[in-house]
Structures are given as structure tokens and as C-alpha cells.
Amino acid sequence: MKGPLDGLRVLDMGWVMVGPVTGRYLADLGADVVKLESSRRVDPLRTLGPFKDGKPGLERSISYHNLNAGKRSLTVDIKDSRGREAILRLVEWADVLIESFSPGVLDDLDLAYPVLKARNPALIVASTSLLGQTGPHARGTSGVGTMGASMSGASLLLGWPGHAPCGTYGPWTDAIAPRFIVPSILAALHRRRATGEGCHIDVAQAEAGIQFLSPAWYQYAANGTVMERRGHAGSPLRVPHGIFRCAGQDRWIALDGSDEAAWQALRTIVGGPLLDSKFDTLIGRLRGRQELENAISAWTISQQADELERSLQSAGVPAHVVSNSNDLAHDPDLLDAHYCHIDDPIVGDAIVEGPRYRLGRTPERATRRGPRIGEHTQEILRDLCGYDAAAIDELKAAGVLV
Amino acid sequence: MLHDIRVIELSGPETMMAGRILGDLGADVIVVEPPGGAAGRRLDPFLDDTPGLDRSLTWHALNRGKRGITLDLGKADGRALLAELGRSAALVLETADRKATAPRADVAFPTSTVRCRITPFLSTGPKRDYFASDLIVTAATGVPGITGTPERPPLFYPVPQAMMEAGAEAAIASLAALSARDVDGLGQDIEVPARLAGMMSALSVPIVVPANNPELQRTPARQRLAGVALPGIFACKDGFVLVSFAFGQAFGRLTQRLMQWAVEQNCLEARLGAVDWSTAPQQAEKGSLTAEDMRATVDAIATLCLRHTKDEFGAEARKRGLLAAPLMDMRDIGQSPQYRERGLWSSPVTVGAEGCTVDDPARFAQFSNYTIDVRRPAPTLSQHTAEILKTDLGLSSAEVQALFVHGII
């Protein structure tokens, strides 16, 4: 069996993260994904690290490979009328078009959904931007996922009570939005198989972020309580439940000894103050939380986090190192079955991430490298757009293929 | 769009978001719980801070739109009824109980059924026997390990995130398998390790060290210019705002506009406003942009922010096209004309028995020819058991009563 989306044709006009990640999901599932690029206005992701061996270069960004693995790249000047026509030929070829321009840009290029639909009525167009295409603030709001995180309520929730919020690590909604765009596309494809109907899908990245925080919304809407940042990693209703400092610089272990079996196991290994009878009951542990957490910290502080993870797990206590970039790079599970080697003519051997699921019968494609800028322009124009060699030469000479 | 798809969700915290997304896209989702209720019913916060099996707001948020039945899968009758119900389902969602190698529900489904199981870690990897919970999986994603400041412990969201990440990823994987099923009519088994799903929010953190770069440190101001840290969050009149200093070809002009605004507001001296901010890093390297200049610039932006409310700041950021936004809390989100007029909110959903209703942020996507709406509130415990057993499986009233008497439903 081939990939579940084998034969699906996708024109990926996104850049940086949300659009490209959406396209990569489809590529992993077997779709033929053509990424539109420009060497004049380079995808900013190509200028963002990490770079292989720390050496910057437009073809050296491992992030670019990670989000664009398995795609083909086409460079066409979309503002030129001949370039626009080439894009419209791809629109006829495509089943799905992904775009993440600032709202209004496609209208200015006369490539808004009605124009695309006229060329291909069955086309599924997914548009994504920070606040979507509609609403009083949609136009004029463009930028990066840290802004999406701010407007989804996430940034305020990270930090310490009484201190300024720390905000999310990076553009959080860039990771969340594709999780709502891809299901929307796949559901629209399911309907299209039955009815032939295309559609326009519009996902606001900040609204996607709100979905992951929906319990906080319900708490406000039903109880009138605005959830606040609390600093402490664990739940106030569970104990011991949180993170504890280990030996070394900025090393921490997360442990969850809150259910009865885990608590008994933890108590046995740590011993000492944890054996006190006041910790026999949950209520006793809640009331003695500070003392209990101090005792666990005193026990973890001299230990190596990764060894502690293994010993707690073998005793039956849910625990894991609070993984940092180095832990992830050396994690046995990830080395075993998540990281994939790619072989790229410019960066050589490099590691990107594989898919985040396992399909038993229709395995995802082997993870491939991302394309170089415009690497497949000629073959795409010839094979997908139907231009002959002379026409391609003409476009090239006119400076449209940059 | 998925109106012909029935989903059976053997409810666990991680399945809830998956079933919610599929239900929103039109699927008929039936939640199956043990007679004592699913684990998701015991997740805080609770309605009026009063616990109860029908009072979890996390449950309500993630199960509205679904129907619910109870079945004891530890008993032969429970398993047989689930198998029978499974004949009408295209997809079964389930979760591993605490570790990836925990046995699956011992129920056979037809070969046309897609069976998607969410595990904490890979069931085939070295951590397959790891005991886990949301906190543990989240710790393993790399997200907290890069969040916060080095003097204080790493930060976690006060809303569990591993279950959200895993559920959303499971929706994608399930729909992919349903696409294959559309072609050949066959189902398959899927595994979604929550840890891998959650690593998506760690962005590029997993690939930094494998590309031979030094490991990342936790620091609030990642960016420095002329040795001066550039904060990303500033206090404003009534809260906080995000201001990104970005440089280079694509984003430098946005920083230029911010500086222009600061000059107009007499917060920043004109000389600094006139700097070509797209090349600021290169100028700092050459020494033409000094540490003193950068300190003055950061102070100016701090002053500019303090002069404005979140709303004023947001309006100006939109007007000028800045890389800046207000930090909104749930009250701000509820009041935002953007979300309201765009149509994020569904019609009101009932929560609890006392008639409290909330608007639900259901419309995660706007479609040209489909509207996400919430068809019903989250099921109370066992709300639809009798209805489904009678209508779908043809059980008699006496049989349903017998199942109840024996604790199976």
C-alpha cells in the first residue's frame, strides 16, 4: 500500500512555518507538494537557524529542511503577469492550495479564492494568517507566531505570580495552527471524494491557539475566573507533582507521585522524611506540600537527572528529565525512531524530524530533504504547467523565474 | 463534511481533543466510558469550583457535540456491545493506560475500522514501559526545558498540553487513515505517541544539537544587540504587550516603523529613529550602534508601552503594521470584537445542570461552504446509553435494565 494521500497534488504558497508545516504533513502522507518560492524575497525560514555546523547560508537551514522535507521548489515572480499565469496553471493542476500571505495580498495579485475557483472549482484552498481573513482587526495584523501566542491567551500564562510574564518559547501558534488546518483539509478532501466540491478554509492562528487553552476559556466563561500564570509546574490538586532540581546546571526532573501506587513507590525509594505518618493520606500530603517537596528536592539535588529518571521509572514512579536541546539530541527513543537522516548536496548528512504518528498499513514516506531554492522550476513548468522548452526559456529570459 | 463517519471514542484525556476536532468537522462521535465515568470528568477546573462528574469544565470544553454511553469493558457483555457498536464505526480512538505497552481494549473490530491509539511514548522504543502522565510527557517534549529564566524552574502551562497536542495529532493521523479507507475500504492501526506530538511546540529545539550547534540555554531575552538584551514583553498601562525587535530584509522595516512611532511620541531621539534598523546587527558589530544607543532604545520602547493601554497599543500596532500585539487574557478574548465579529463563537452551550451557558470557541476554521457548530452540550454520565443500545443495537428495554442491574452500564 502506498501513502494515504498518494496522488494528491498540493501547491504550497506558505512561508516560514504554518503553511510549510501544513504542506509537510501532506507530503509525509504521500502528496506531491510544490512549494512556491522566490529568490528575491527568500523564505525567512532559510535565514533562521539552526544551520548545519552553525554556518549560516540560505541552503544550510536545518529548520527549512525540517518543515519542507520532501517538497519540490519552484521560483516564479508571482507579481509578473506571466508568472501569475504559470501559477494559475498550477492551480488547475492542484487539488489543494495552501497560502499564508498577509490578508489582502492575494486580492492585490488578483488571486483571491473566487479567481482560483473559476480556474479549478474542485480546488481546496487553505488560507492562514494570525487573525484570519475576516473581522475588524484581520487586515493590518500580520507578523509572527509570538503575536498569535499573545492574542490566544498563552503568553500571559507562562511566568510567576507577581512577576511580568515570560511568554511562550518562540512562535507557539505556529506549532498549533497546522493541527487545525490539516484536519480541515483532510475533511474537505473526504467530502470532495463524495461530492466533487472544493472550498475555501480560513484558519486564524490565534484562534487555533485558543483551542489548546479551552479549559481556561470555560473557566472564565462559566466561573468568571481569569486563569493566571502560576509558576509551579504541577497541579495544585496533586502532590507530589512537579519538577525538582537535580545535580548540574539547570537540570530538572519531572515526577508524578500523586496517585496511590506511584506515591507508595516513591516513598519507598526516597525514604527518610517521606515515611512520616503525616504523609500517609492525600490530605496530609496536600497540607504538608512544602515540606514534602523540600524533602524530595533535598533527595534529587545531588543526583544525575537521567539516572534518576531510569531508577524512578523502574520503581514505578512516572518521571522524566525536563528535556533540553541536548537531552532530545541523545534521547534513546528519538534516536531509535524519530530522527531521520537526510543527505543533502550542500549540507551533507543532516538530521530532521520524522512524522509524529505511525500508520500500520499505509506507512508514511521515508523522510527526504527539503529542496534548494527553485531546484525543480524547470520540471514543474514542463510537466505540471505544460510549457515547452522555448516557453520556459522565454520566461527565464524575461526574469520571471526568480 | 464528515457526516458519514462515526467515531467511537474510548475516552481518555488524550482522545478528547481528537474526538472534538472530528466532531466539529461533522463526524458522529460516541464517547464510551466505564460506568464510573471517564478520567476526563475528573480534570479541573470545575463549575463553580465544586467537583462532580458532570462539572469538569475541561470535560465540557472537549466533549461538547458528542454523545456518551457507559460500558464496562472488563465484562464480556461490555466488550460484546462495543464490538457490535464498532460495526457502524469508521474509527475507534483509544488511549494507552499510563504506559505504551498497556494492553489494548480486548475487542475485535472489522477490518474496515481505523483504530487509533494514543500512547505516551513509542510502544516500540526503549521508553515503551515508562509510566507517564501529562506532566511527564510534557517534560519530555523539550518545551518546558526552554521556557522561563535560568534562575527559576522551567515553566509549564497551567492547562495540560500533552493531551491537546496528542489529540490534535491523532485527528490528523486518523483522517489520513480514513483517506486511505476511502480508496480501498480498509482500516488500519495507528499509534500516536504524545511525546512526539508535543515536540511540535518545541519548534526547532530538537534539531539544534544534531546539526552540530551548541545546546540552547533558557533565557528570557534570547536576542542581544551591542551586548544589550532586547526584551520581548513590556508592561503597558493595563497589562503587558509583546514587542518584537526583528531585523533583516523581511522584518527590519517593521522595526523601523516601531522606532518611528517612538520618535513621534517623543520617547526616542530622532537620531535613533533614523538608524537603518534592518541592518542593525551589522551596525552593532561595526560599533556604529553602541550599547548606550541600544539601552536608550529599549528604555524608549518601555516608556512608549507604558503610555498606552493594551487596546490602544493593539490598534496602533495594526495601523502601523508592527511586530507587536497585546498579551490577552480570557476576558480580553471574550471582549475582542475581532473574535466575535469573525464568528469564532458557537451558539451558547449548556454547562452543568443549573442552566449555565457559555459561548464555545468552536469555529477553529471558517469554511466557504460548511459551518462548525456545537450540536449538543457534553454528555452527562451515561446520558445516551439507553438511546444508543436501543436504537443502534436493538436491545429491549428489559435488556438495558438488566445491563444496569449488573453494573455493565
Side-chain angles (χ1 to χ4, degrees):
Chain A
M1 178 76 196
K2 302 174 193 167
L5 299 183
D6 227 72
L8 188 77
R9 299 158 162 190
V10 180
L11 176 56
D12 177 356
M13 295 167 69
W15 72 348
V16 197
M17 188 158 174
V18 181
V21 168
T22 302
R24 179 171 170 190
Y25 270 107
L26 303 177
D28 282 347
L29 291 165
D32 180 3
V33 181
V34 169
K35 179 177 166 70
L36 175 68
E37 293 202 68
S38 161
S39 49
R40 283 198 198 132
R41 265 196 100 195
V42 172
D43 184 342
L45 187 61
R46 289 189 178 274
T47 68
L48 300 172
F51 300 102
K52 178 78 189 298
D53 304 321
K55 291 180 201 149
L58 294 180
E59 305 287 5
R60 298 190 61 82
S61 166
I62 304 303
S63 284
Y64 181 88
H65 283 287
N66 203 34
L67 308 190
N68 292 287
K71 300 179 190 174
R72 296 197 273 175
S73 169
L74 159 80
T75 50
V76 163
D77 181 357
I78 195 173
K79 289 183 179 157
D80 184 286
S81 62
R82 290 158 294 187
R84 180 176 170 279
E85 176 54 28
I87 294 301
L88 283 170
R89 290 193 186 190
L90 278 174
V91 164
E92 287 173 0
W93 164 83
D95 300 300
V96 174
L97 184 152
I98 301 160
E99 67 94 2
S100 59
F101 292 105
S102 299
V105 168
L106 279 188
D107 298 275
D108 296 345
L109 295 168
D110 195 20
L111 287 172
Y113 177 63
V115 177
L116 305 175
K117 187 182 177 184
R119 288 290 277 254
N120 180 354
L123 186 69
I124 292 165
V125 176
S127 293
T128 179
S129 54
L130 284 174
L131 291 178
Q133 306 293 312
T134 59
H137 301 166
R139 295 220 172 184
T141 303
S142 68
V144 293
T146 44
M147 293 165 63
S150 300
M151 295 186 286
S152 69
S155 303
L156 268 180
L157 290 176
L158 290 168
W160 298 85
H163 292 259
C166 293
T168 56
Y169 169 69
W172 179 68
T173 47
D174 283 4
I176 313 308
R179 263 63 170 274
F180 292 89
I181 304 169
V182 179
S184 298
I185 292 172
L186 295 176
L189 282 166
H190 175 76
R191 176 176 65 180
R192 196 180 86 154
R193 281 181 210 108
T195 66
E197 225 178 327
C199 67
H200 186 206
I201 302 164
D202 170 19
V203 172
Q205 294 155 22
E207 291 177 349
I210 293 170
Q211 310 301 320
F212 271 32
L213 302 172
S214 53
W217 165 257
Y218 267 62
Q219 188 181 25
Y220 169 68
N223 291 354
T225 311
V226 176
M227 193 178 278
E228 306 242 2
R229 51 191 174 277
R230 66 177 177 223
H232 191 283
S235 161
L237 306 181
R238 295 176 180 275
V239 64
H241 186 257
I243 57 174
F244 299 87
R245 197 184 274 278
C246 297
Q249 197 199 335
D250 206 21
R251 301 295 288 156
W252 303 83
I253 190 146
L255 71 84
D256 180 356
S258 64
D259 84 10
E260 188 59 27
W263 164 245
Q264 292 305 343
L266 179 69
R267 196 177 201 187
T268 309
I269 321 179
V270 180
L274 270 62
L275 299 174
D276 192 312
S277 62
K278 69 184 165 203
F279 297 135
D280 284 354
T281 61
L282 169 65
I283 298 301
R285 296 192 285 279
L286 284 169
R287 289 181 183 166
R289 175 191 288 274
Q290 196 58 56
E291 192 185 339
L292 184 56
E293 288 180 350
N294 289 347
I296 296 171
S297 290
W299 180 75
T300 59
I301 188 80
S302 57
Q303 305 199 54
Q304 296 299 321
D306 46 355
E307 287 167 23
L308 192 54
E309 171 189 308
R310 286 190 291 272
S311 60
L312 285 166
Q313 282 287 352
S314 14
V317 181
H320 201 280
V321 168
V322 178
S323 300
N324 60 29
S325 58
N326 198 43
D327 296 315
L328 295 177
H330 298 101
D331 187 280
D333 252 24
L334 304 179
L335 291 170
D336 187 55
H338 184 55
Y339 287 131
C340 303
H341 284 269
I342 55 167
D343 185 21
D344 179 79
I346 291 165
V347 300
D349 177 62
I351 285 173
V352 298
E353 293 181 273
R356 299 166 199 280
Y357 48 78
R358 300 287 178 269
L359 300 179
R361 184 173 66 90
T362 55
E364 52 285 343
R365 280 199 190 162
T367 299
R368 298 154 288 169
R369 64 176 177 87
R372 297 189 297 282
I373 301 176
E375 183 180 347
H376 307 95
T377 302
Q378 301 268 343
E379 66 179 59
I380 289 165
L381 292 174
R382 185 187 62 222
D383 302 342
L384 312 186
C385 301
Y387 289 103
D388 61 22
I392 294 172
D393 285 346
E394 206 173 302
L395 289 171
K396 198 170 179 184
V400 177
L401 306 184
V402 291
Chain B
M1 291 183 290
L2 302 176
H3 65 277
D4 57 337
I5 298 290
R6 174 172 278 183
V7 178
I8 292 184
E9 181 187 337
L10 307 182
S11 181
E14 297 81 13
T15 62
M16 298 195 298
M17 177 59 94
R20 210 213 91 168
I21 291 173
L22 298 169
D24 285 346
L25 294 171
D28 171 24
V29 182
I30 299 175
V31 173
V32 178
E33 307 177 58
R41 293 186 181 274
R42 292 182 185 270
L43 294 176
D44 58 306
F46 298 101
L47 182 59
D48 299 327
D49 295 324
T50 306
L53 287 175
D54 293 320
R55 302 184 69 86
S56 160
L57 294 170
T58 301
W59 174 264
H60 280 282
L62 296 174
N63 290 281
R64 83 288 177 291
K66 306 175 187 173
R67 292 185 291 166
I69 69 170
T70 51
L71 282 179
D72 184 352
L73 300 181
K75 296 197 167 110
D77 277 276
R79 291 191 296 273
L81 290 167
L82 178 60
E84 211 169 318
L85 192 60
R87 284 194 214 132
S88 65
L91 171 67
V92 175
L93 294 168
E94 59 198 309
T95 177
D97 184 26
R98 299 184 68 223
K99 59 179 186 177
T101 50
R104 283 202 313 192
D106 181 21
V107 175
F109 295 104
T111 53
S112 59
T113 309
V114 173
R115 198 163 172 179
C116 176
R117 185 169 197 245
I118 302 171
T119 55
F121 295 90
L122 279 155
S123 69
T124 50
K127 297 189 174 180
R128 61 183 173 269
D129 286 317
Y130 267 28
F131 293 96
S133 65
D134 207 281
L135 176 85
I136 302 307
V137 173
T138 303
T141 61
V143 178
I146 195 68
T147 310
T149 59
E151 344 48 275
R152 285 167 173 267
L155 290 166
F156 289 62
Y157 286 92
V159 176
Q161 287 298 292
M163 68 182 213
M164 306 292 184
E165 303 260 8
E169 196 73 25
I172 292 175
S174 298
L175 282 163
L178 289 170
S179 298
R181 181 180 180 270
D182 282 346
V183 176
D184 62 15
L186 292 174
Q188 60 181 310
D189 290 345
I190 305 172
E191 178 173 320
V192 178
R195 194 264 185 109
L196 295 187
M199 282 173 63
M200 177 74 100
S201 289
L203 304 167
S204 62
V205 173
I207 54 172
V208 167
V209 173
N212 302 329
N213 291 279
E215 67 178 292
L216 300 170
Q217 306 295 325
R218 288 195 301 131
T219 158
R222 211 157 291 280
Q223 221 176 357
R224 289 181 166 271
L225 218 54
V228 176
L230 305 180
I233 292 174
F234 291 85
C236 68
K237 237 184 210 173
D238 59 346
F240 295 92
V241 292
L242 172 99
V243 179
S244 296
F245 297 91
F247 311 106
Q249 188 197 9
F251 295 120
R253 64 205 156 85
L254 310 181
T255 305
Q256 201 78 47
R257 294 179 202 147
L258 170 72
M259 299 306 174
Q260 186 56 41
W261 183 26
V263 170
E264 286 169 27
Q265 294 275 309
N266 295 316
C267 298
L268 182 68
E269 53 180 304
R271 174 182 67 88
L272 290 171
V275 164
D276 174 12
W277 285 96
S278 61
T279 60
Q282 291 83 338
Q283 296 177 57
E285 202 147 298
K286 279 192 308 197
S288 55
L289 198 60
T290 65
E292 202 178 322
D293 291 338
M294 284 316 299
R295 272 192 292 272
T297 304
V298 171
D299 288 348
I301 301 305
T303 309
L304 178 72
C305 294
L306 277 173
R307 280 193 195 161
H308 298 87
T309 63
K310 281 181 279 190
D311 275 354
E312 290 164 359
F313 193 89
E316 200 66 25
R318 285 192 297 278
K319 197 177 101 192
R320 293 175 179 266
L322 307 180
L323 275 183
L327 262 61
M328 296 169 79
D329 62 23
M330 289 300 161
R331 183 187 293 114
D332 300 324
I333 286 169
Q335 289 170 353
S336 157
Q338 168 62 25
Y339 297 132
R340 194 151 297 278
E341 288 176 35
R342 176 171 156 76
L344 172 63
W345 310 105
S346 71
S347 39
V349 178
T350 306
V351 174
E354 295 102 41
C356 168
T357 61
V358 305
D359 295 340
D360 185 286
R363 296 188 186 125
F364 58 74
Q366 303 282 343
F367 295 83
S368 55
N369 49 8
Y370 177 78
T371 303
I372 296 174
D373 213 349
V374 181
R375 284 170 282 184
R376 52 173 67 84
T380 58
L381 183 59
S382 206
Q383 185 179 350
H384 305 94
T385 305
E387 167 193 320
I388 288 170
L389 293 183
K390 287 179 188 169
T391 314
D392 283 80
L393 302 184
L395 266 65
S396 71
S397 171
E399 286 168 339
V400 172
Q401 291 177 55
L403 289 169
F404 182 76
V405 165
H406 289 85
I408 294 160
I409 60 172

